[in-house]
Amino acid sequence: MKKVIIIGAGPAGLTAGLELLRQSGEYSVTVLEKSDTVGGISRTAVHNGNRMDMGGHRFFSKDERVNRWWESLLPNQGSPSADDIITNTKKEFDGTADPETQDKVFLKRRRVSRIYFKKKFFDYPVTVKPQTFINMGFSSTVRSVFSYGVSMVHKKNEDNLENFYINRFGKELYSMFFESYTEKLWGRHPRDISADWGAQRVKGLSVTALLRDTLKKALGKKSNETSLIEEFKYPKFGPGQMWQAAADELTDRGGEIIFSAEVKKICTENGKISAVEYEKNGERLMITGDIFISSMAIKDLINGFDDCPDSVRKIADDLPYRDFLTVGLLINKLAVKNETKLKTVGDIIPDCWIYVQDRSVKLGRVQIFNNWSPYMVKDFQNTVFLGLEYFCREGDGLWNMSDSELRDLAEKELVEIGILEAGNVRDCHVERVQKAYPAYFDSYDELPVVINYLNTFGNLFCVGRNGQHRYNNMDHSMATAFCAVDNILSGNKDKTALWSVNTEKVYHEEK
């Protein structure tokens, strides 16, 4: 039996391990996880009965293999959830699970994401609805139309993210809806960031695409027409529930997960990886294997090799990451009113998350966990649980703030932008996430040199967001795992397909 060692128990690592055990009895699987829980950035944190989703994870994919895999672990909803019952919201279900009596269930949720700018809500992505122009005001609308016209005629060289956005939305809309938020997210101005990030995250979206989508809806075109998703699946207790279910099946099938095991050294022999050393409880341990699958950050992986060329190590050391922290605030009520036609418990605003564009605050996004799943909030009928996301760098001023200081900052900024009235916070919990976002600047352009080096080890497969230094969605991370497993089972040595996942020019949230 061949020994497979997997570094990381996030979506990519668990998918790879479980898929190998499902498909073949010829492999043993051991997963080394640095933390004490599974899921990585897709975990669910629990505080006083209230649950937090680190980053907000919509379960939507155009990859049917991913969809089938998810549904093999959690069945689809077949009866109304608690909030649907209270609001008398009618939905069509394609499953059989009852969330009121069963815990393992995929809820069917409504996708609502908006931009909050100058105390007004705008659709995300920005739409061409009349309300958008009303919120913008006459002068901003005129400037936006004119600047978009200019961008259609005079295309900029897309050698940076700023020009990428301007070419698709015009300078005025870029300034309003992209510039400030992008700088908050990355800590760099968009002109200093590679356009590759926009190509991955914005993909085919532009003002032209939005106009086309609006026209299709007006003409009643649905089934085979491309449009932005309006619904998604979501585990009853958050994304961590999915990965705990995967971990449970993995161990039931004979796999092993070793927690608090931080990989420190990669041992090589005759052009292959022979073992890894990891640290657990202050002790250095070694585990040998035949095949190695890594979802750890490329920077850390490369630094584990003793014999890595200095030129490759220098590139890896300079690969940038962005960390973030989430401040969970349990509050009595929101100050902003629900002016939509969507029904919610307590008539709170229906958003899953809100992008905060105001330059006056450090806050980047706000999640409303009640709207992801009512079962995320202990008393969802009388309280609202918010997740305030702050983008930072490990060790900087924000990262090093105490939890009480972050609570004060979060409440102050929410009050400042009009989302909360002072004195409404009942509880607070902070979660910090390292290397949440692989970044597209500094030595990023030289990443192919590192990839070529890693590909020289035939029994090493790099998967996932940090494992490939690519800003993947969860389903794309899983797709890299599927590809690695397919290569292992077939004996395919060519890793081109593995490194090509999520390079298509199609927007992630189109159906």
Side-chain angles (χ1 to χ4, degrees):
M1 183 173 286
K2 292 184 177 180
K3 292 176 63 178
V4 178
I5 308 301
I6 298 175
I7 305 173
L14 289 174
T15 300
L18 181 52
E19 193 69 4
L20 271 173
L21 292 173
R22 282 179 171 182
Q23 290 199 43
S24 174
E26 299 178 6
Y27 299 89
S28 68
V29 171
T30 300
V31 182
L32 303 175
E33 169 54 40
K34 178 181 177 181
S35 73
D36 60 359
T37 189
V38 298
I41 194 175
S42 301
R43 70 184 185 275
T44 302
V46 184
H47 175 71
N48 291 339
N50 296 296
R51 291 174 165 81
M52 296 171 60
D53 180 345
M54 302 297 101
H57 291 84
R58 286 192 273 264
F59 283 72
F60 166 80
S61 180
K62 289 172 279 191
D63 186 331
E64 282 308 308
R65 186 174 180 181
V66 169
N67 287 317
R68 290 194 302 271
W69 202 89
W70 282 336
E71 291 169 12
S72 73
L73 290 168
L74 296 179
N76 288 333
Q77 179 180 357
S79 303
S81 55
D83 53 349
D84 291 336
I85 293 171
I86 292 170
T87 59
N88 196 31
T89 298
K90 305 299 182 185
K91 292 179 180 176
E92 293 183 3
F93 302 113
D94 56 4
T96 58
D98 180 358
E100 285 290 270
T101 60
Q102 297 172 247
D103 285 343
K104 285 193 171 184
V105 55
F106 248 143
L107 301 180
K108 186 176 185 179
R109 304 306 291 173
R110 185 170 54 202
R111 174 198 177 275
V112 181
S113 296
R114 290 187 292 177
I115 294 168
Y116 193 67
F117 182 58
K118 294 184 177 179
K119 297 187 177 181
K120 293 179 180 177
F121 284 104
F122 296 80
D123 289 341
Y124 175 84
V126 181
T127 63
V128 291
K129 294 177 182 176
Q131 190 61 45
T132 300
F133 303 115
I134 293 171
N135 288 350
M136 286 171 57
F138 179 76
S139 59
S140 289
T141 298
V142 171
R143 289 196 301 270
S144 297
V145 172
F146 177 76
S147 68
Y148 178 65
V150 170
S151 73
M152 292 289 287
V153 176
H154 300 288
K155 292 292 183 184
K156 292 179 175 289
N157 181 22
E158 292 189 0
D159 54 1
N160 62 62
L161 187 56
E162 179 174 66
N163 289 350
F164 176 91
Y165 281 137
I166 291 174
N167 281 348
R168 284 155 181 77
F169 298 95
K171 191 168 185 178
E172 184 71 14
L173 287 176
Y174 155 74
S175 179
M176 290 175 65
F177 298 119
F178 296 96
E179 185 176 21
S180 175
Y181 180 81
T182 303
E183 193 165 6
K184 283 184 192 180
L185 173 57
W186 295 115
R188 298 281 184 95
H189 192 274
R191 73 174 68 94
D192 299 322
I193 300 174
S194 169
D196 285 2
W197 187 78
Q200 274 197 265
R201 301 303 295 182
V202 177
K203 298 194 182 256
L205 270 190
S206 65
V207 169
T208 301
L210 295 171
L211 285 168
R212 187 169 59 244
D213 183 68
T214 300
L215 180 60
K216 287 175 180 176
K217 289 180 178 178
L219 295 174
K221 295 184 178 180
K222 293 182 180 180
S223 58
N224 295 322
E225 299 294 333
T226 297
S227 60
L228 302 182
I229 67 166
E230 297 177 351
E231 293 179 328
F232 61 92
K233 296 177 181 179
Y234 195 72
K236 179 178 178 178
F237 295 127
Q241 184 183 17
M242 166 63 68
W243 301 113
Q244 187 58 57
D248 290 344
E249 184 179 336
L250 184 146
T251 54
D252 288 345
R253 289 178 177 270
E256 180 185 15
I257 302 175
I258 303 176
F259 292 102
S260 303
E262 183 175 3
V263 172
K264 294 289 189 178
K265 183 178 179 181
I266 312 298
C267 306
T268 62
E269 186 177 323
N270 299 323
K272 290 186 176 183
I273 297 176
S274 57
V276 297
E277 286 187 12
Y278 64 95
E279 186 172 284
K280 182 176 173 66
N281 299 327
E283 182 181 3
R284 281 284 188 111
L285 302 167
M286 179 179 287
I287 185 169
T288 60
D290 301 297
I291 297 168
F292 295 81
I293 299 174
S294 173
S295 65
M296 70 188 293
I298 284 182
K299 174 185 288 190
D300 299 331
L301 177 65
I302 288 294
N303 277 314
F305 289 90
D306 284 339
D307 52 356
C308 176
D310 289 342
S311 58
V312 174
R313 193 182 306 278
K314 176 66 168 60
I315 295 169
D317 282 341
D318 290 340
L319 284 174
Y321 300 83
R322 195 68 167 153
D323 311 297
F324 83 89
L325 55 88
T326 299
V327 182
L329 294 183
L330 185 69
I331 66 171
N332 295 311
K333 62 179 181 179
L334 294 165
V336 285
K337 306 300 181 185
N338 180 16
E339 296 179 350
T340 73
K341 296 179 181 179
L342 302 175
K343 296 182 290 184
T344 59
V345 176
D347 203 32
I348 64 173
I349 53 177
D351 304 74
C352 300
W353 64 40
I354 301 164
Y355 294 85
V356 179
Q357 298 291 347
D358 292 72
R359 300 173 188 270
S360 62
V361 296
K362 296 178 180 179
L363 176 61
R365 290 191 305 197
V366 180
Q367 290 190 74
I368 303 176
F369 296 119
N370 304 55
N371 295 331
W372 288 92
S373 165
Y375 308 101
M376 295 280 281
V377 185
K378 185 176 181 180
D379 183 8
F380 74 92
Q381 295 191 60
N382 298 298
T383 61
V384 182
F385 196 33
L386 305 177
L388 282 70
E389 296 181 11
Y390 287 90
F391 310 113
C392 52
R393 186 169 185 175
E394 185 179 358
D396 70 10
L398 261 176
W399 183 270
N400 288 334
M401 287 178 103
S402 68
D403 289 3
S404 60
E405 288 173 326
L406 286 167
R407 170 179 174 151
D408 292 342
L409 173 66
E411 181 177 5
K412 173 180 171 292
E413 292 198 336
L414 282 184
V415 171
E416 182 179 335
I417 61 178
I419 288 180
L420 183 67
E421 292 179 355
N424 266 290
V425 177
R426 299 174 57 164
D427 196 5
C428 176
H429 179 70
V430 177
E431 289 281 333
R432 293 170 175 82
V433 181
Q434 297 171 308
K435 292 184 174 68
Y437 306 126
Y440 289 55
F441 41 83
D442 294 345
S443 66
Y444 168 77
D445 288 342
E446 298 177 272
L447 181 60
V449 175
V450 180
I451 293 173
N452 288 337
Y453 171 75
L454 293 172
N455 282 346
T456 63
F457 300 96
N459 65 337
L460 171 65
F461 299 85
C462 294
V463 298
R465 177 180 280 193
N466 279 334
Q468 295 196 339
H469 202 86
R470 181 173 295 138
Y471 196 157
N472 286 327
N473 275 359
M474 182 167 50
D475 61 326
H476 291 108
S477 291
M478 293 174 64
T480 63
F482 289 142
C483 191
V485 169
D486 291 345
N487 273 30
I488 291 168
L489 294 178
S490 67
N492 183 6
K493 304 295 184 183
D494 185 357
K495 298 175 185 173
T496 303
L498 177 62
W499 289 100
S500 299
V501 172
N502 189 23
T503 56
E504 76 281 4
K505 305 298 183 184
V506 180
Y507 184 58
H508 288 152
E509 289 191 14
E510 286 179 341
K511 61 181 178 180

